[in-house]
């Protein structure tokens, strides 16, 4: 898609969002496409036990159908949702296929499977941004948080990836992530000091903890479920910007619906555009635009609705990829510190 068309597309979506239009004039600019709902770890801050669907990798024909429908309007595909993308052996082919259609790509990984072969295949796939979720500065802490993971293996895999990236002069944006928890809070400074000065790392990020719309809690934070008994009239920008697609083709309103309770459609039998302005999503937009009074339980528990509609609309100013890069570069410790209880850990 040409730059002028992208800008027109985003402005159109932003206008519809601010006006609260339930039927949107333009298709989504981002898709979360779940490469797999399987995972090799059992992390303490992940509500994987809420998943109701059977373990499954997305099939290549379905993925090609999605990309074929979206290539004329889509800016970004995020391959991360409820599983570890590297568990799908076709992930490299999927990234390359999306890139061949002019779509930017993003992926988050725990890096336990990121050996040299996987690193090389990722680098040559054309992936634009890779987030490595580390969440610790020591093996002991890592083991408590990322159960079934191997800290030393991850560090070794990361070093290999960075070495090969420099060797072939690849421009993959690599981000190292840390979510503050009671188990790792004392390591935050050491984590940032170590990784932020590594010239091969594009960004070391302290990521705000998410309750996944109240599915999980974190005692480190003052209030985990901001809208437990009410509903903010701020609109969720995701309903006017993106869709989340499960590995079986089911479409959900957002990535916080881990259980798949709010199905918008099925891409095995429908198109993206049919679902985008389908009855289910139009009804959900009406709720957020204040045209109906009863919200989904998922939305009534979501911390994202703390953010004003006006502020959320600013995300249309840039692509999803650049937005993620900016967050990675500027999401500093001092900002997060204001949101955390001051207590001895």
């Amino acid at each position: 898609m040409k730059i002028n068309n992208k800008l027109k597309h985003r402005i159109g979506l932003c206008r519809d969002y601010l006006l609260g239009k339930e039927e949107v004039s333009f298709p989504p600019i981002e898709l979360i496409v779940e490469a797999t709902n399987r995972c090799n770890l059992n992390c303490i801050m992940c509500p994987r036990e809420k998943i109701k669907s059977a373990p499954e990798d997305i099939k290549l024909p379905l993925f090609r159908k999605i990309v074929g429908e979206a290539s004329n309007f889509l800016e970004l595909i995020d391959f991360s949702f409820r599983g570890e993308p590297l568990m799908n052996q076709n992930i490299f082919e999927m990234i390359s296929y999306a890139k061949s259609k002019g779509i930017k790509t993003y992926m988050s990984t725990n890096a336990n499977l990121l050996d040299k072969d996987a690193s090389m295949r990722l680098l040559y796939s054309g992936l634009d941004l890779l987030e490595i979720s580390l969440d610790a500065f020591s093996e002991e802490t890592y083991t408590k948080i990322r159960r079934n993971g191997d800290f030393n293996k991850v560090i070794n895999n990361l070093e290999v990836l960075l070495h090969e990236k420099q060797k072939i002069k690849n421009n993959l944006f690599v981000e190292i992530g840390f979510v503050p928890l009671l188990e790792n809070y004392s390591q935050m400074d050491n984590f940032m000091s170590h990784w932020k000065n590594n010239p091969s790392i594009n960004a070391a990020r302290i990521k705000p903890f998410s309750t996944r719309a109240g599915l999980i809690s974190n005692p480190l934070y003052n209030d985990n479920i901001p809208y437990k008994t009410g509903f903010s009239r701020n609109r969720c920008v995701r309903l006017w910007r993106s869709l989340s697609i499960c590995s079986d083709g089911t479409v959900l309103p957002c990535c916080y619906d881990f259980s798949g309770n709010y199905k918008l459609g099925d891409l095995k039998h429908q198109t993206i555009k049919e679902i985008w302005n389908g009855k289910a999503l139009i009804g959900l937009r009406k709720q957020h635009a204040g045209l109906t009074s009863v919200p989904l339980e998922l939305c009534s528990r979501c911390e994202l609705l703390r953010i004003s509609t006006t502020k959320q609309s600013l995300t249309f100013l840039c692509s999803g990829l650049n937005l993620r890069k900016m967050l990675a570069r500027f999401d500093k410790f001092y900002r997060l510190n204001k949101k955390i209880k001051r207590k001895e850990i």
Side-chain angles (χ1 to χ4, degrees), residues 289-306:
L291 301 178
T292 60
S293 59
V294 182
L296 290 182
E297 182 185 1
L298 177 77
C299 303
S300 69
R301 294 185 276 109
C302 184
E303 64 265 41
L304 290 180
L305 292 182
R306 283 175 169 171

Side-chain angles (χ1 to χ4, degrees), residues 77 79 89 116 131 164 173 184 246 266 292 312 327:
I77 290 179
F79 288 98
Q89 61 182 359
K116 183 174 181 179
E131 177 189 342
E164 297 299 330
F173 189 100
N184 65 8
C246 301
D266 188 341
T292 60
Q312 289 187 64
L327 285 172

Side-chain angles (χ1 to χ4, degrees), residues 203-315:
R205 185 182 177 199
I206 302 297
K207 299 181 64 177
F209 174 83
S210 170
T211 70
R212 303 279 182 171
L215 289 179
I216 49 178
S217 62
N218 184 353
L220 191 62
Y221 285 74
N222 287 310
D223 49 358
N224 292 298
I225 307 177
Y227 298 112
K228 189 173 181 179
T229 58
F231 184 59
S232 165
R233 279 307 174 198
N234 294 327
R235 295 171 202 146
C236 178
V237 73
R238 291 175 175 174
L239 303 181
W240 282 264
R241 184 184 180 99
S242 63
L243 290 171
S244 295
I245 303 169
C246 301
S247 54
D248 63 358
T250 301
V251 180
L252 305 175
C254 80
C255 60
Y256 284 179
D257 186 8
F258 256 60
S259 301
N261 291 328
Y262 305 104
K263 296 179 182 178
L264 304 177
D266 188 341
L267 283 172
K268 292 195 297 291
H269 311 292
Q270 297 170 275
T271 67
I272 292 171
K273 289 184 178 180
E274 286 172 349
I275 295 171
W276 184 241
N277 276 321
K279 182 178 179 179
L281 190 48
I282 284 176
L284 191 50
R285 292 192 189 111
K286 282 183 178 180
Q287 292 178 0
H288 280 250
L291 301 178
T292 60
S293 59
V294 182
L296 290 182
E297 182 185 1
L298 177 77
C299 303
S300 69
R301 294 185 276 109
C302 184
E303 64 265 41
L304 290 180
L305 292 182
R306 283 175 169 171
I307 304 171
S308 72
T309 296
T310 302
K311 288 181 179 178
Q312 289 187 64
S313 72
L314 297 177
T315 63

Side-chain angles (χ1 to χ4, degrees), residues 76-342:
L76 178 69
I77 290 179
D78 176 355
F79 288 98
S80 316
F81 188 3
R82 300 173 298 180
E84 167 53 51
L86 290 176
M87 292 194 74
N88 185 333
Q89 61 182 359
N90 295 317
I91 185 63
F92 313 104
E93 183 177 347
M94 291 192 293
I95 294 169
S96 295
Y97 187 73
K99 291 293 293 181
S100 73
K101 301 299 182 180
I103 301 170
K104 301 292 186 182
T105 54
Y106 161 83
M107 191 181 89
S108 176
T109 178
N110 60 52
N112 278 266
L113 301 177
L114 192 64
D115 57 18
K116 183 174 181 179
D117 178 65
S119 291
M120 295 306 296
R121 295 182 71 184
L122 266 188
L123 290 169
Y124 283 109
S125 70
L127 183 69
D128 293 286
L129 194 157
L130 178 67
E131 177 189 342
I132 295 177
S133 301
L134 194 54
D135 302 316
F137 192 65
S138 70
E139 181 178 9
E140 180 182 4
T141 300
Y142 181 89
T143 303
K144 291 178 182 177
I145 296 171
R146 295 197 160 267
R147 295 175 296 202
N148 300 331
D150 187 326
F151 179 78
N152 294 318
K153 178 191 286 187
V154 170
I155 296 301
N156 181 69
N157 289 347
L158 179 55
E159 290 174 349
V160 170
L161 171 73
L162 297 176
H163 173 76
E164 297 299 330
K165 176 192 170 186
Q166 282 191 318
K167 184 178 177 181
I168 65 175
K169 295 180 172 57
N170 187 279
N171 62 357
L172 172 65
F173 189 100
V174 178
E175 170 191 331
I176 308 297
F178 184 107
V179 176
L181 305 164
L182 281 175
E183 291 79 2
N184 65 8
Y185 180 66
S186 62
Q187 297 190 346
M188 208 157 22
D189 287 337
N190 288 336
F191 176 90
M192 287 300 291
S193 297
H194 178 77
W195 290 112
K196 72 179 181 180
N197 295 319
N198 188 316
S200 299
I201 297 290
N202 298 93
R205 185 182 177 199
I206 302 297
K207 299 181 64 177
F209 174 83
S210 170
T211 70
R212 303 279 182 171
L215 289 179
I216 49 178
S217 62
N218 184 353
L220 191 62
Y221 285 74
N222 287 310
D223 49 358
N224 292 298
I225 307 177
Y227 298 112
K228 189 173 181 179
T229 58
F231 184 59
S232 165
R233 279 307 174 198
N234 294 327
R235 295 171 202 146
C236 178
V237 73
R238 291 175 175 174
L239 303 181
W240 282 264
R241 184 184 180 99
S242 63
L243 290 171
S244 295
I245 303 169
C246 301
S247 54
D248 63 358
T250 301
V251 180
L252 305 175
C254 80
C255 60
Y256 284 179
D257 186 8
F258 256 60
S259 301
N261 291 328
Y262 305 104
K263 296 179 182 178
L264 304 177
D266 188 341
L267 283 172
K268 292 195 297 291
H269 311 292
Q270 297 170 275
T271 67
I272 292 171
K273 289 184 178 180
E274 286 172 349
I275 295 171
W276 184 241
N277 276 321
K279 182 178 179 179
L281 190 48
I282 284 176
L284 191 50
R285 292 192 189 111
K286 282 183 178 180
Q287 292 178 0
H288 280 250
L291 301 178
T292 60
S293 59
V294 182
L296 290 182
E297 182 185 1
L298 177 77
C299 303
S300 69
R301 294 185 276 109
C302 184
E303 64 265 41
L304 290 180
L305 292 182
R306 283 175 169 171
I307 304 171
S308 72
T309 296
T310 302
K311 288 181 179 178
Q312 289 187 64
S313 72
L314 297 177
T315 63
F316 287 108
L317 294 176
C318 63
S319 70
L321 184 70
N322 287 334
L323 185 63
R324 283 167 171 79
K325 288 181 177 180
M326 285 190 290
L327 285 172
R329 287 187 172 116
F330 299 116
D331 189 12
K332 299 296 185 182
F333 167 72
Y334 74 89
R335 292 183 183 179
L336 185 73
N337 213 25
K338 297 177 182 178
K339 303 177 184 178
I340 299 179
K341 286 182 180 179
R342 306 308 295 166

